[in-house]
Amino acid sequence: MTGLALHGRVALVTGAAGGGCGSAIALRLADRGATVVANGLLWHAEALGELAARHPGIRPAIADVGDEQAVSALFAELADTTGHPGIVVHNAAPSLAPVAVSALETAQWRAELGTILDGAFHLARAAAPAMTAAGWGRFVFVSSSAAFRGARGRSAAYAAGKAALHGLAVQLALELGPCGVTANVIAPSQIDTARARRGGRRDHGSMARSAGLVPLGRVGRPGDVAGLAAFLAGDESSYLTGQVIRLDGGSALAAPQTALKGAVR
């Protein structure tokens, strides 16, 4: 996708404040000509403001997507300002400490599912009527390889929430396809972001070890996710729906014991 292929479109990107995949997606869609509503929570206001300062096509929006009333209020506001989003990219996920299932509190389970899964549902329910009326729409859910194989450093709630996005996308594709609306999922493996390295959870050594398991010889970058999201948000992907795309550099092809020697970059 090149040029201003998304000119005239309004895109809502959740989880856009962290400087990682959400920020990269917001910037990429704005570069393609979309008016991008970059969403985060109240304590993300400064980061969202900095992101908006980087591109005139980005506008910050504070709302907790896990709260159905907050989402309804956000869409009512957008109807009067930017217009209804024809593109919804749901990337938001809380950054909570990993907890074993036996110690996982219900509150943390609900917090993670509330943002990841309930958030996707609230957004879909709010956005679908205008999309179907317009005869065009794009849902892009950012999942994770944890949906397929779990993940160290994450909880069962994270893996379960990300996996559930796949089922929601399939149902949206089935229901809304006749109205020109598509729904797809991006499932990245390890992406090198500031969030991944925060608190020493990942470092150069661990990233290099992960790269050794990837046929392409490196871990992912936020721009990799942004590029695929931009494709799925445009007209070039109009015959692609209900799909889960594993954005993993081919790492699903090799078990850990088959690490690719000399492939680390």
Side-chain angles (χ1 to χ4, degrees), residues 25 35-36 71 79 84 95 165 259 261:
I25 292 168
T35 297
V36 177
V71 172
H84 293 286
S95 183
L165 291 177
K261 303 299 183 182

Side-chain angles (χ1 to χ4, degrees), residues 120-252:
F121 164 64
H122 296 154
L123 292 165
R125 184 174 58 184
M131 289 182 180
T132 55
W136 192 96
R138 300 287 184 267
F139 288 106
V140 181
F141 298 148
V142 180
S143 178
S144 167
S145 60
F148 300 100
R149 60 193 186 199
R152 294 181 177 87
R154 295 289 190 179
S155 77
Y158 178 86
K162 291 296 191 180
L165 291 177
H166 304 180
L168 178 58
V170 168
Q171 187 65 25
L172 291 174
L174 182 66
E175 291 185 14
L176 304 179
C179 299
V181 178
T182 67
N184 291 289
V185 177
I186 302 172
S189 59
Q190 181 62 62
I191 304 295
D192 191 356
T193 65
R195 178 176 176 176
R197 293 175 180 259
R198 190 177 302 145
R201 185 165 68 90
R202 298 300 300 268
D203 57 21
H204 179 73
S206 65
M207 288 291 184
R209 288 190 292 275
S210 293
L213 304 176
V214 180
L216 290 181
R218 65 173 177 86
V219 296
R221 306 178 182 117
D224 297 322
V225 182
L228 181 52
F231 169 72
L232 293 175
D235 288 330
E236 291 88 345
S237 63
S238 62
Y239 201 59
L240 181 66
T241 194
Q243 302 302 307
V244 178
I245 303 173
R246 299 181 71 149
L247 187 68
D248 64 2
S251 60

Side-chain angles (χ1 to χ4, degrees), residues 59-158:
R59 304 180 184 187
I62 303 298
D64 180 357
V65 296
D67 181 336
E68 62 179 322
Q69 293 183 345
V71 172
S72 294
L74 173 61
F75 273 74
E77 178 185 347
L78 296 180
D80 294 332
T81 55
T82 63
H84 293 286
I87 300 165
V88 172
V89 182
H90 182 43
N91 171 71
S95 183
L96 300 178
V99 179
V101 171
S102 58
L104 185 62
E105 297 285 345
T106 300
Q108 180 169 341
W109 172 267
R110 287 303 322 153
E112 294 201 69
L113 288 179
T115 299
I116 297 168
L117 181 58
D118 293 353
F121 164 64
H122 296 154
L123 292 165
R125 184 174 58 184
M131 289 182 180
T132 55
W136 192 96
R138 300 287 184 267
F139 288 106
V140 181
F141 298 148
V142 180
S143 178
S144 167
S145 60
F148 300 100
R149 60 193 186 199
R152 294 181 177 87
R154 295 289 190 179
S155 77
Y158 178 86

